[in-house]
Amino acid sequence: MKKILFIALALLASASFGTVDAKKKKDKKQTAVVAPAELKNGSDSLSYAAGMSITNGLIPYLVQQQGVDTAYMADFVAGFKEAIAAANDARQKARMAGIDIASQITQRMLPGMEKEFTDTPDSILHDLFFRGFSDALLGDTATMKQEDAEELFRVKQQTNKAAKDEKLYGSNREAGRKFLAENKLKEGVITTPSGLQYKVLTKGEGAVPQRTDKVKVHYEGRLVDGTVFDASAKHGSEPASFRADQVIKGWTEALTMMPVGSKWQLYIPYELAYGERNMGNIKPYSALIFDVELVDIEK
């Protein structure tokens, strides 16, 4: 039994060494010996050095931005040489352009579209996406005309975004509406025709800014649940400075009613704030609360 085991081990070892030797021979066969470039004069040396110099940083770019595996650099060089050889061949030039556009679409545009339609009723299917792309360029309108496709895609973008926003932020919008509906009934709260609500905490006696005036203010901004998302104090002891018409609509409306020296509390519906935009800590459809003190108007 022991003798049989030794024989089996010997055969296994022999096979392993044979595989390694075969791989070495195969690798040696695949790696062709390339003679050094002949540099006979200054222009030769300059040209060679220039070509080599501009590759500095190229490999990290290919790996990080193009997803190239460095084990296949020989294939990259082969493709590079094919493109150079095709520079004056119209047909090959078109094929190379197709390869380049395919790379841009699959690595940048398509992932962006897929993300846009994530968590929506519809999704992007690769095969039909590429078929639509190809048919449009070949003028094939058997399935759909170009203008019909553009209109359908636009409508789908809008309806799917609305469905996605409702799913993700519908409760946020309703929380803001409920807060404002209850808040407007509180003592001292004034509601303007636009829906802006405000309460005068300190009545100022100074001038009232125009829309194009640059103002100085201290402020603190909160969500309706009380979370503070920004404050002038976070940016230093000096008041913030900006034009009255270069902020959200609710601020512009309030600032152009406030005398200098006033301090108001603003209750701003999402339509007068950041609307459907996602501003990080401020999610879409967020109603906002601000304490705003108008310090001065810059002349």
Side-chain angles (χ1 to χ4, degrees):
M1 179 68 180
K2 186 179 292 185
K3 183 176 181 182
I4 294 173
L5 181 61
F6 284 143
I7 292 172
L9 290 172
L11 289 171
L12 180 61
S14 176
S16 298
F17 286 123
T19 302
V20 171
D21 289 342
K23 186 176 186 302
K24 286 182 179 178
K25 290 177 181 179
K26 183 179 180 182
D27 291 344
K28 187 175 182 181
K29 184 178 180 181
Q30 288 180 343
T31 306
V33 178
V34 179
E38 292 187 18
L39 308 178
K40 298 179 180 179
N41 52 47
S43 294
D44 289 352
S45 299
L46 169 64
S47 302
Y48 185 85
M52 183 166 278
S53 295
I54 65 170
T55 66
N56 187 12
L58 178 58
I59 290 179
Y61 168 79
L62 293 174
V63 172
Q64 296 168 16
Q65 301 298 323
Q66 300 289 336
V68 173
D69 187 333
T70 54
Y72 300 98
M73 288 307 297
D75 295 282
F76 169 81
V77 171
F80 174 79
K81 290 180 177 179
E82 287 175 14
I84 296 299
N88 297 317
D89 185 325
R91 187 173 182 182
Q92 288 301 317
K93 188 182 292 185
R95 292 180 66 86
M96 291 298 175
I99 293 171
D100 180 54
I101 295 299
S103 176
Q104 293 184 42
I105 288 175
T106 55
Q107 294 183 29
R108 300 176 188 175
M109 296 178 68
L110 188 53
M113 285 188 181
E114 289 177 318
K115 184 177 180 181
E116 179 182 357
F117 286 94
T118 301
D119 292 322
T120 71
D122 296 314
S123 58
I124 298 292
L125 305 177
H126 288 201
D127 288 348
L128 285 170
F129 175 89
F130 294 135
R131 176 62 187 272
F133 180 90
S134 302
D135 283 355
L137 293 177
L138 295 174
D140 187 341
T141 58
T143 304
M144 196 178 295
K145 293 181 180 179
Q146 178 80 31
E147 57 270 25
D148 293 336
E150 291 176 1
E151 177 62 15
L152 188 149
F153 183 65
R154 183 187 65 80
V155 170
K156 283 287 189 181
Q157 278 184 308
Q158 292 178 346
T159 56
N160 278 273
K161 182 181 185 304
K164 182 176 183 177
D165 286 350
E166 184 62 31
K167 179 180 178 180
L168 296 177
Y169 308 115
S171 59
N172 190 46
R173 182 189 61 231
E174 294 310 311
R177 286 177 174 172
K178 181 181 178 182
F179 170 84
L180 292 169
E182 295 173 353
N183 188 68
K184 71 179 181 180
L185 303 176
K186 293 180 179 179
E187 184 179 355
V189 175
I190 301 169
T191 303
T192 71
S194 71
L196 172 69
Q197 298 176 9
Y198 68 94
K199 183 177 181 179
V200 178
L201 304 179
T202 302
K203 186 177 181 180
E205 300 294 339
V208 176
Q210 301 296 309
R211 291 177 61 88
T212 55
D213 284 339
K214 196 169 186 180
V215 297
K216 290 184 177 181
V217 300
H218 285 300
Y219 69 90
E220 181 182 86
R222 302 184 297 281
L223 304 177
V224 296
D225 65 3
T227 302
V228 176
F229 58 81
D230 195 15
S232 54
K234 291 184 177 182
H235 309 289
S237 59
E238 293 297 314
S241 177
F242 43 77
R243 265 178 45 160
D245 62 353
Q246 293 181 335
V247 285
I248 57 176
K249 293 178 181 178
W251 265 61
T252 299
E253 182 179 349
L255 287 170
T256 52
M257 296 190 295
M258 292 177 69
V260 170
S262 297
K263 184 174 182 180
W264 289 8
Q265 191 163 81
L266 310 181
Y267 314 96
I268 306 177
Y270 78 86
E271 296 93 340
L272 302 178
Y274 294 102
E276 301 174 5
R277 289 174 289 170
N278 192 332
M279 304 298 291
N281 291 332
I282 305 173
K283 299 305 178 185
Y285 307 112
S286 289
L288 305 177
I289 304 170
F290 284 96
D291 291 332
V292 180
E293 179 185 0
L294 179 55
V295 178
D296 197 7
I297 301 172
E298 291 189 18
K299 302 299 183 182

